[in-house]
Amino acid sequence: MTENIKRGGKTGLITKGDASTGIQPLPHNQRLHKSCLLAKYRLKDQLQKRINTCIEENFMSVLNEVKFYLAQQPQIVFERDYRHDNRENAHAMHAFISNSFYFYLECDFVFHYKIEFAFHDCAYESKFRDLLSRFQLNKQIKEVALQPSFPIFYKAVLAIQDPKYTYLLKEQ
């Protein structure tokens, strides 16, 4: 297989390694490094590490409460924990989407954790907004408008994501 790569200032086509340049393709399992793992082990700013830890813990706590409320009306949801999965997105940490609520945690290029959320005809919107108030730093949480629209985005996620990450959310 031929690949066009750029590494170390050299660009070229290689076929299973190029002896003349010493350039080798990256193994599949080393292509992406998770930003959140780098943040935990390489970030020197101890305050930012503590902020990231609080954001991650609060995200998971809020998500558990959100799922409790949404389970009152059974629905198909997509949920995926990307924190130790480097196959797709180096910045994604956790994603959740139902037919009425979107919740996403990521680690940006400078190792700051960020949250996005969106609503669509959500019966629990005011309750969820109260839960989201746990995130006191506004720059780390942002309401977004899913494109082209929430329902189309939701259906596209269910259609293209691996079905093992979708399930029926209902009361236990």
Side-chain angles (χ1 to χ4, degrees):
M1 181 172 163
T2 301
E3 251 182 273
N4 189 3
I5 65 162
K6 182 174 184 178
R7 192 176 330 150
K10 298 179 180 181
T11 302
L13 292 175
I14 61 169
T15 307
K16 296 200 178 220
D18 186 339
S20 66
T21 64
I23 298 174
Q24 298 291 320
L26 288 173
H28 177 70
N29 65 349
Q30 294 179 3
R31 289 192 182 148
L32 300 172
H33 295 284
K34 294 304 291 187
S35 295
C36 61
L37 296 178
L38 293 173
K40 287 180 182 178
Y41 300 109
R42 294 188 180 169
L43 187 64
K44 294 179 183 175
D45 183 346
Q46 293 301 313
L47 175 60
Q48 188 59 50
K49 278 186 178 182
R50 286 193 298 272
I51 291 170
N52 286 351
T53 299
C54 286
I55 290 171
E56 184 176 4
E57 288 172 357
N58 282 332
F59 178 91
M60 298 310 290
S61 175
V62 167
L63 180 59
N64 286 333
E65 290 186 58
V66 162
K67 292 192 303 189
F68 171 79
Y69 286 103
L70 291 177
Q72 311 292 320
Q73 302 168 340
Q75 56 193 286
I76 301 294
V77 300
F78 165 80
E79 182 177 9
R80 186 167 178 186
D81 186 345
Y82 293 94
R83 289 176 288 185
H84 299 283
D85 184 349
N86 67 354
R87 291 175 290 183
E88 290 180 19
N89 185 328
H91 303 289
M93 293 177 65
H94 203 100
F96 175 86
I97 188 168
S98 71
N99 61 5
S100 62
F101 184 67
Y102 166 79
F103 204 35
Y104 179 76
L105 175 65
E106 71 175 0
C107 180
D108 68 13
F109 290 104
V110 291
F111 307 129
H112 294 178
Y113 290 8
K114 308 273 183 181
I115 295 171
E116 293 182 347
F117 67 95
F119 295 101
H120 175 71
D121 296 333
C122 184
Y124 305 102
E125 183 172 344
S126 63
K127 177 65 176 166
F128 292 174
R129 286 191 185 278
D130 287 343
L131 294 173
L132 294 171
S133 69
R134 292 180 187 175
F135 304 99
Q136 307 219 345
L137 303 171
N138 288 336
K139 67 181 184 173
Q140 294 163 329
I141 186 165
K142 180 170 94 173
E143 186 167 5
V144 296
L146 300 179
Q147 299 298 322
S149 70
F150 193 111
I152 292 172
F153 184 88
Y154 169 71
K155 289 176 185 171
V157 166
L158 295 181
I160 64 172
Q161 289 291 340
D162 190 329
K164 72 181 178 182
Y165 301 111
T166 61
Y167 61 93
L168 178 63
L169 180 64
K170 62 181 182 176
E171 289 184 285
Q172 297 295 330

